Amino acid sequence: MTPPTMTARPWLLALVLLLAPGLAEAHIIAARLGDFYTGALHPLTDPQDIVLWLALALFAGSLGPGRARWLVLLMPLGLLAGFLLQVTLGIGQIGALGAAGLMVGLGLLLASGLATGLAAGNRLFGGAVLLVTATSGASNAAGMAPEANATLFAAGLASAGYVVITLLLAAIVALRWPSTDTSGTAGWRAIVLRVCGSWIAAIGLMIGGFALKSLAGV
Amino acid sequence: MNIRLRQSLQRGGALVALILAQGAAAHEQAGVAGGLVSGFLHPITGLDHLVAMVAVGLWGAQLGAPALWVLPVTFPLVMALGGVLGVLGVPLPMPELVIALSALVLGGAVAVRLRAPFGVAALLVAVFAVFHGHAHGVELPKAANPLAYGIGFVLATGLLHGCGITLGLLTRWPQGDRLVRALGAAIALLGTDFLATGLRML
């Protein structure tokens, strides 16, 4: 017969290990270039940045591949400009109400389909890119820890902006402006973008309402 | 039981327990995740909201273009306006009764295949959308993260419309058309029940 200490040993060992579980860390990013990864991940963990970047990509994609291509270049530059404004002058943030206004504006332009037909389309596009990228860069800079390396953080932020916006634009342009469309679904493809726009505007409206409530102290 | 087999089972059990070990999380619904989940579940877990959203999609599919795509584009916007009223604490008259009435009217419209003019249908749906949005807006300030709540709520509403429109595509076939009308009748019956309950509580 097996002694009781022999049968209890595996359970005891498991109990000790269970009480001290730890997550596996294959890449300890904090050890080297940690602030680069922190900067790259920072906007991706904030729903406000995600919605605004998506709105901007949808807006640029709806205007056609020609204008959309510019965003690939302007996105990281705009993020860096906003980042610098916040770090050096302490300006650039627009708060929840401003972000809600941007969501509503971009969403309504998408939902109505007005932007494609406007004569001032280029200026509208430029203004939207400048506002979204600069304010996003500034808000991310404001969220940076004081001990963080600003250069690495900014490089990570700009890289994330470049990668995310390129992938989003590729998907949106392929959906809205396919090189060959024999399925007869061109109308539906435009409607998908309009529906996305109305959803973004609706989100912005609700956030704006909440921001107004907070401001009024109701 | 064989001693060796028992020892093997014990060791195996200990190994499984070790592999499945996770850190305890006492409050998983906090922050962004909590706001997203509560916003997404709000239109789905409220049966009165759920059936009305599906009915909008079904009716849009029955009416055809442009209602088929104008309703899903405009409904979230109008509903969000109602949501803002709710967030700001602007009262609406008898919101629960109007929400119940929306299920009755929209379900009834689907059941009898009501061919209302587009403007009338849009106006009717818009009025109901304001009341549905108001109910969601009242809940918004209690959410863990308002932005995440808004995203979850708009996504769920849009997906419910999508469900309604997809089901509504069955109207292309005679059997499917009967099924859609039966769904409309069931929604109208539920709406009647909600309305009766609401009236009893007055």
Side-chain angles (χ1 to χ4, degrees), chain A residues 95-180:
Chain A
L97 198 56
L102 278 176
M103 287 178 204
V104 173
L106 284 172
L108 285 179
L109 279 171
L110 264 171
S112 63
L114 277 176
T116 43
L118 285 179
N122 277 337
R123 269 176 286 170
L124 205 59
F125 174 63
V129 172
L130 182 70
L131 274 172
V132 172
T133 57
T135 56
S136 179
S139 69
N140 278 285
M144 183 176 63
E147 68 274 12
N149 183 316
T151 309
L152 284 175
F153 190 97
L157 175 65
S159 302
Y162 170 76
V163 171
V164 170
I165 218 70
T166 305
L167 292 174
L168 282 175
L169 280 175
I172 294 162
V173 168
L175 171 79
R176 178 67 184 87
W177 311 97
S179 52
T180 52

Side-chain angles (χ1 to χ4, degrees), chain A residues 1-2 6-7 10-11 14 17-18 21 45 47-48 51 103 108 111 188 191 194-195 198-199 201-203 205-207 209-210 212-213 218, chain B residues 3 7 10-11 14 17-18 21-22 32 68-69 72-73 76-77 80-81 83-84 87-88 137 140-141 146-147 150-151 153-155 158-159:
Chain A
M1 187 177 171
T2 312
M6 289 286 285
T7 52
W11 287 108
L17 291 168
L18 272 171
T45 54
Q48 183 175 304
V51 175
M103 287 178 204
L108 285 179
W188 283 106
I191 288 167
R194 284 186 172 212
V195 169
S198 81
W199 289 9
I203 292 167
L205 271 174
M206 294 205 73
I207 305 314
F210 188 76
L212 280 175
K213 182 187 171 77
V218 181
Chain B
I3 292 171
Q7 283 180 339
Q10 284 169 342
R11 284 173 188 158
L18 176 64
Q22 288 180 5
V32 173
L68 182 59
W69 64 270
V73 169
L77 283 170
L81 283 174
V84 172
V87 167
L88 295 176
L140 181 58
L147 177 54
I151 294 170
F153 141 74
V154 170
L155 277 178
L159 290 174

Side-chain angles (χ1 to χ4, degrees), chain A residues 178 180-189:
Chain A
T180 52
D181 183 17
T182 53
S183 60
T185 55
W188 283 106
R189 291 164 189 269

Side-chain angles (χ1 to χ4, degrees), chain B residues 91-188:
Chain B
L92 289 180
M94 297 181 290
E96 291 304 321
L97 285 184
V98 178
I99 288 170
L101 190 66
S102 72
L104 171 60
V105 171
L106 293 170
V110 174
V112 301
R113 227 180 194 286
L114 185 66
R115 306 297 300 180
F118 173 66
V120 174
L123 185 67
L124 193 63
V125 168
V127 170
F128 289 143
V130 169
F131 279 84
H132 280 273
H134 186 271
H136 295 305
V138 169
E139 296 287 326
L140 181 58
K142 296 171 195 161
N145 182 301
L147 177 54
Y149 180 94
I151 294 170
F153 141 74
V154 170
L155 277 178
T157 302
L159 290 174
L160 285 175
H161 288 156
C163 283
I165 290 170
T166 309
L167 284 170
L169 294 178
L170 290 171
T171 53
R172 293 176 183 185
W173 297 276
Q175 295 286 350
D177 183 52
R178 278 196 281 276
L179 181 66
V180 168
R181 291 176 68 170
L183 276 174
I187 291 170

